[in-house]
């Protein structure tokens, strides 16, 4: 089943990488940006990389969200609450995927911010009528963009409180890994998934690599 | 290189599993417990499972810590600060490994507690002269105890601020996985490693499995 998916923040590296994979899998993707012209440029870049069959366009954030049934938030943590608030009416009733990572950076590298709620929970609190799902935090932006073929050695973890929305996102994960995502539990588990990205960035630095996450012992989730 | 390792909380499932793997790898292991008789019983159970060559014994916690050069804290989060405080003089100057998971449980399952510092950082604060390393949070107790052979499909993440101690623990990881552990960054990253166990427990429940963690993209850490 294909979906109409807005990628808010689709001009950033993570958004671009996910938009590319989702469009390549046959979904109709709209890159969202504050600047409609930048969104159009980025969508043209992705369309060119995919080739003829891609259905991908660009629009201002609220237009992208309004014209899609699934909205992926791929925005920085800084300004997150204000952005979600500004899109509240467009997000209502929709499946909203958050891959937002509330991280801090200093001379010792990245670390997870200590928060009372995750970014995903914050979005859910601001838009109670949306079905927010946390996912796609751990796939490296450059692996999405540069690797050929599915990232079949990685797993996509999915958390959420709405079973239908979670199920939809677990299916969407196949656009990235070629297999269904893994049910990681309730939305509050996003408190664990989001800052874990700091660990992966540290590993990337220590090993000069693009690391990813795999869960062992979970067979048959393809 | 083999070490003299105390496993504080070695009568619990995680401690027992790690003590078993460490003793099987040739390290001299002392199971620690508040109750020396229970520690002796548990060490006899592990020795019997390993067979003739195991060097493993049991002792009261402070005796176990005092007679070892590496101390693994495999204790519950509840009571953690009091226990570390009670062992402060024995831990001074040693490599202290924390696999403590500060989790909460309710009708919706396990979740990571929102804390200002991780258990590993708390231990480091209480015993500033120890070299605390966070590791071994994510290997399932029953996989340690029941699986045959090394858990070579899993990775052991290691965080810490003392390079020598971290290096030692990365080597120790081979007792569990057959390969060197992965440097996950500074000790504060334990804030991310510890509660991640809640995600794995949720996955275990959802998929009726014993899940584990693997990091993709990090070759050559064997």
């Amino acid at each position: 089943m294909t979906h109409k998916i807005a990628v808010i923040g689709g001009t950033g590296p993570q958004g671009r990488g996910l938009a590319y994979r989702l469009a390549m899998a046959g979904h109709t993707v709209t890159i969202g940006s504050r600047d409609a012209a930048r969104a159009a440029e980025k969508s043209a870049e992705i369309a060119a990389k995919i080739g003829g069959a891609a259905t991908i366009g660009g629009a201002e954030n609220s237009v992208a969200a309004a014209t899609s049934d699934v909205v992926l938030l791929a925005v920085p943590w800084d300004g997150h609450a204000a952005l979600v608030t500004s899109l509240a009416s467009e997000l209502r009733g929709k499946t909203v995927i958050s891959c937002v990572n509330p991280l801090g950076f200093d001379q010792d590298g990245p670390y997870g911010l200590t928060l009372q709620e995750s970014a995903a929970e914050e979005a859910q609190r601001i838009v109670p009528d949306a079905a927010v799902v946390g996912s796609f935090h751990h796939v490296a932006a450059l692996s999405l963009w540069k690797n050929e073929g599915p990232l079949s050695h990685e797993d996509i973890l999915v958390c959420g409180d709405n079973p239908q929305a979670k199920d939809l996102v677990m299916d969407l994960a196949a656009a990235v890994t070629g297999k269904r995502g893994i049910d990681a539990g309730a939305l509050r588990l996003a408190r664990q998934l989001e800052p874990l990205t700091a660990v992966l960035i540290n590993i990337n630095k220590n090993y000069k690599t693009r690391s990813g996450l795999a869960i062992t012992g979970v067979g048959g989730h393809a």
Side-chain angles (χ1 to χ4, degrees), chain A:
Chain A
M1 186 181 176
T2 61
H3 298 278
K4 294 170 74 173
I5 306 174
V7 181
I8 307 301
T11 58
Q14 193 75 0
R16 180 186 70 166
L18 289 168
Y20 165 57
R21 296 284 175 159
L22 291 166
M24 196 160 55
H27 300 290
T28 300
V29 174
T30 307
I31 298 280
S33 169
R34 287 174 205 273
D35 176 348
R38 281 201 63 213
E41 268 174 46
K42 193 59 70 173
S43 81
E45 179 191 358
I46 297 171
K49 186 171 163 85
I50 296 175
T55 48
I56 182 163
E60 191 274 330
N61 280 331
S62 64
V63 176
T67 55
S68 301
D69 51 276
V70 175
V71 180
L72 171 63
L73 301 173
V75 298
W77 169 242
D78 190 25
H80 176 261
L83 180 124
V84 174
T85 302
S86 76
L87 295 177
S89 66
E90 289 83 4
L91 299 181
R92 202 160 289 149
K94 295 185 177 168
T95 294
V96 175
I97 310 171
S98 172
C99 67
V100 177
N101 296 309
L103 304 184
F105 294 85
D106 63 18
Q107 71 282 1
D108 296 324
Y111 59 98
L113 298 176
T114 300
L115 304 170
Q116 290 303 311
E117 64 180 1
S118 59
E121 288 169 290
E122 182 175 85
Q124 184 68 79
R125 177 172 52 75
I126 295 171
V127 194
D129 297 337
V132 178
V133 174
S135 192
F136 297 110
H137 307 89
H138 307 130
V139 280
L142 282 177
S143 296
L144 290 165
W145 187 246
K146 291 191 168 177
N147 286 31
E148 290 186 20
L151 306 180
S152 56
H153 52 305
E154 299 194 26
D155 281 306
I156 304 292
L157 295 174
V158 184
C159 68
D161 292 336
N162 180 304
Q164 289 76 27
K166 184 152 73 170
D167 195 58
L168 185 158
V169 178
M170 289 167 70
D171 279 344
L172 275 187
V176 172
T177 62
K179 61 191 172 183
R180 195 165 146 84
I182 292 182
D183 181 356
L187 191 64
R188 66 180 176 184
L189 275 299
R191 294 174 214 166
Q192 277 75 67
L193 299 186
E194 292 172 2
L196 183 60
T197 306
V199 172
L200 297 174
I201 298 173
N202 271 297
I203 291 172
N204 292 349
K205 192 178 130 198
N206 290 335
Y207 294 88
K208 304 190 191 316
T209 188
R210 296 199 295 265
S211 64
L213 204 66
I215 301 297
T216 66
V218 183
H221 63 287

